Amino acid sequence: MISGAGIVGLLSCLLCAVPFFIIGIFGKESSTPISFWSGDQTLKDKVTDLKTYNARMAKLYQKAGTAFCINGLCCFIFIPLGILGLVFLCTVGFYLFYRSYKQILEA
């Protein structure tokens, strides 16, 4: 049975996924480094191979967008599972996202 909460959860997760996909798709070919923190101007000094860095960061952002889409489907199917997924995604998931960013930055 489809519930209103499931539809709202799905739409919310899809709206969260859109910026990640936009950054992942359009940032790949950018002439400036894709930043993790908004407004970070120090990356120009830290990134030596811009093309590889942006490709890896774009892939990371696309993975984050995909995670939100999958979680949206979980919300749609069974709202308690979706809420649990959101808690996991917004805590452990973002920690893993940050850790991956640091590994990309050090490479």
Side-chain angles (χ1 to χ4, degrees), residues 56-75:
R56 292 181 72 194
M57 282 299 291
K59 189 174 182 179
L60 182 63
Y61 272 95
Q62 289 173 354
K63 286 180 183 178
T66 302
F68 271 106
C69 288
I70 291 169
N71 197 74
L73 290 174
C74 290
C75 284

Side-chain angles (χ1 to χ4, degrees), residues 78-95:
F78 187 60
I79 195 70
L81 178 64
I83 291 171
L84 184 64
L86 274 176
V87 169
F88 179 81
L89 186 59
C90 292
T91 54
V92 176
F94 279 122
Y95 168 73

Side-chain angles (χ1 to χ4, degrees), residues 18-91:
V18 167
F20 288 109
F21 283 126
I22 289 172
I23 292 170
I25 292 168
F26 295 110
K28 187 176 182 178
E29 301 298 324
S30 177
S31 60
T32 59
I34 299 173
S35 64
F36 180 81
W37 303 107
S38 179
D40 185 3
Q41 299 298 320
T42 63
L43 285 176
K44 292 178 183 177
D45 299 330
K46 296 177 185 176
V47 175
T48 55
D49 185 5
L50 180 65
K51 187 172 183 170
T52 303
Y53 170 82
N54 276 352
R56 292 181 72 194
M57 282 299 291
K59 189 174 182 179
L60 182 63
Y61 272 95
Q62 289 173 354
K63 286 180 183 178
T66 302
F68 271 106
C69 288
I70 291 169
N71 197 74
L73 290 174
C74 290
C75 284
F76 187 69
I77 294 168
F78 187 60
I79 195 70
L81 178 64
I83 291 171
L84 184 64
L86 274 176
V87 169
F88 179 81
L89 186 59
C90 292
T91 54

